């Protein structure tokens, strides 16, 4: 389950982060506050570059269930609990990502309104997964999910930040920062930490019978 809200720090964070990367050569954990803050800004730059594409925003909105009245609210997609959004924030997200996005962007407001910088900067750390460039994508995906489980085992919640890996310029910056060799690619980046709330959240999941066809 992804945690898309902010994080609170704990004295155990550093030790827990070390266990995630221990004994493996495909994971880099970034723990320095200044580096995390800088990458948080890169995350925003990457995200807005994708959000400027109409089709991308359309698909994102298609998966978002911003009101409890949405007919598929508890069935699939990203509901308010999954997005860690209040009713007001969800209403705002729908407006910003909807028809007025371009106007807001022209006024220089869109980037600020969709910023996740504060959430990323609150993370205990960033966990980067590098896999061999020519590895089968399914195998890399398996490593991605197993890494997510290892993060959970270390006591953290996590949110993948795919924009950091998908935007070529930011991806290259992260590869340089982590000094990975040429034969590897950045598969994804997780921001990890302890959620601000201990409240149990319910994310929509399709019934098993609908998944196995
Ligand atoms: C390859 C991959 C990339 C993902 N990238 C993102 C992402 O950039 N942002 C995000 O919020 N969730 C991302 N997710 C998480 C999924 O959207 C989904 O949230 C997750 O599988 C768990 O569902 P949940 O949101 O109900 O917890 C990604 C998942 C996968 C498998």
């Amino acid at each position: 389950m992804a945690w898309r809200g902010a994080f609170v720090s704990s004295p155990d964070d550093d030790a827990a982060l070390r266990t995630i990367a221990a004994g493996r050569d495909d994971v880099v954990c970034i723990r320095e506050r200044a580096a995390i803050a800088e990458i948080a800004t890169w995350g925003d730059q990457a995200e807005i570059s994708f959000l400027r594409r109409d089709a991308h925003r359309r698909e994102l909105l298609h998966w978002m269930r911003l009101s409890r009245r949405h007919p598929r609210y508890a069935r699939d997609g990203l509901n308010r609990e999954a997005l860690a959004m209040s009713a007001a924030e969800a209403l705002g997200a729908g407006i910003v990502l909807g028809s007025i996005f371009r106007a807001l962007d022209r006024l220089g407001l869109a980037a600020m309104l969709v910023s996740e910088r504060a959430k990323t900067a609150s993370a205990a750390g960033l966990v980067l997964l590098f896999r061999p460039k020519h590895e089968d994508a399914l195998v890399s995906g398996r490593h991605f999910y197993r890494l997510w489980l290892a993060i959970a085992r270390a006591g953290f919640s996590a949110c993948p930040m795919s924009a950091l890996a998908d935007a070529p310029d930011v991806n290259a910056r992260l590869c340089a920062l982590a000094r990975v060799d040429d034969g590897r690619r950045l598969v994804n980046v997780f921001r990890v930490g302890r959620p601000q709330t201990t409240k149990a959240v319910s994310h929509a999941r399709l019934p098993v019978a609908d998944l196995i066809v």
Side-chain angles (χ1 to χ4, degrees), residues 55-135:
H56 186 98
R57 281 197 316 284
R58 230 184 350 262
E59 183 170 344
L60 183 59
L61 277 171
H62 169 76
W63 282 110
M64 285 173 146
R65 317 281 181 243
L66 295 171
S67 155
R68 286 194 202 280
R69 286 195 302 273
H70 193 290
R72 299 174 75 93
Y73 191 85
R75 185 174 160 78
D76 62 9
L78 296 161
N79 64 25
R80 287 211 285 108
E81 283 75 17
L83 292 163
M85 281 185 186
S86 66
E89 285 168 333
L91 184 72
I95 295 170
V96 172
L97 294 172
S99 52
I100 64 165
F101 178 88
R102 281 170 171 276
L104 288 172
D105 200 24
R106 270 195 300 276
L107 294 170
L109 293 173
M112 185 188 75
L113 290 167
V114 298
S115 172
E116 298 213 324
R117 194 159 53 89
K119 287 181 187 177
T120 308
S122 74
L126 301 176
V127 179
L128 283 59
L129 175 65
F130 295 95
R131 295 296 308 169
K133 261 183 192 157
H134 302 295
E135 183 172 71

Side-chain angles (χ1 to χ4, degrees), residues 1-2 4 78 82 144-145 148 159-163 188 203-205:
M1 201 181 274
R4 296 192 177 80
L78 296 161
F144 167 85
Y145 273 120
W148 198 338
C159 182
M161 300 178 65
S162 299
N188 216 315
H203 293 193
R205 292 288 183 264

Side-chain angles (χ1 to χ4, degrees), residues 18-209:
R18 260 188 276 270
T19 66
I20 297 170
R24 50 192 300 174
D25 64 359
D26 59 349
V27 169
V28 172
C29 281
I30 295 179
R31 290 181 283 129
E32 300 75 28
R33 300 315 318 164
I36 295 171
E38 181 162 22
I39 297 168
T41 308
W42 299 353
D44 273 7
Q45 290 165 2
E47 191 61 49
I48 195 77
S49 72
F50 291 115
L51 286 176
R52 287 193 172 118
R53 300 178 188 173
D54 294 343
H56 186 98
R57 281 197 316 284
R58 230 184 350 262
E59 183 170 344
L60 183 59
L61 277 171
H62 169 76
W63 282 110
M64 285 173 146
R65 317 281 181 243
L66 295 171
S67 155
R68 286 194 202 280
R69 286 195 302 273
H70 193 290
R72 299 174 75 93
Y73 191 85
R75 185 174 160 78
D76 62 9
L78 296 161
N79 64 25
R80 287 211 285 108
E81 283 75 17
L83 292 163
M85 281 185 186
S86 66
E89 285 168 333
L91 184 72
I95 295 170
V96 172
L97 294 172
S99 52
I100 64 165
F101 178 88
R102 281 170 171 276
L104 288 172
D105 200 24
R106 270 195 300 276
L107 294 170
L109 293 173
M112 185 188 75
L113 290 167
V114 298
S115 172
E116 298 213 324
R117 194 159 53 89
K119 287 181 187 177
T120 308
S122 74
L126 301 176
V127 179
L128 283 59
L129 175 65
F130 295 95
R131 295 296 308 169
K133 261 183 192 157
H134 302 295
E135 183 172 71
D136 184 294
L138 273 179
V139 176
S140 299
R142 188 181 298 148
H143 284 280
F144 167 85
Y145 273 120
R146 289 197 169 149
L147 175 58
W148 198 338
L149 290 175
I151 291 168
R153 214 160 33 236
F156 290 124
S157 293
C159 182
M161 300 178 65
S162 299
L164 284 172
D166 293 345
D169 53 338
V170 175
N171 184 309
R173 268 184 253 165
L174 287 167
C175 289
L177 187 81
R179 296 202 193 92
V180 287
D181 66 68
D182 235 20
R184 293 196 172 240
R185 72 179 182 98
L186 174 63
V187 174
N188 216 315
V189 178
F190 291 94
R191 59 171 183 248
V192 312
R194 307 186 196 265
Q196 231 171 18
T197 170
T198 50
K199 214 173 67 185
V201 284
S202 78
H203 293 193
R205 292 288 183 264
L206 283 175
V208 173

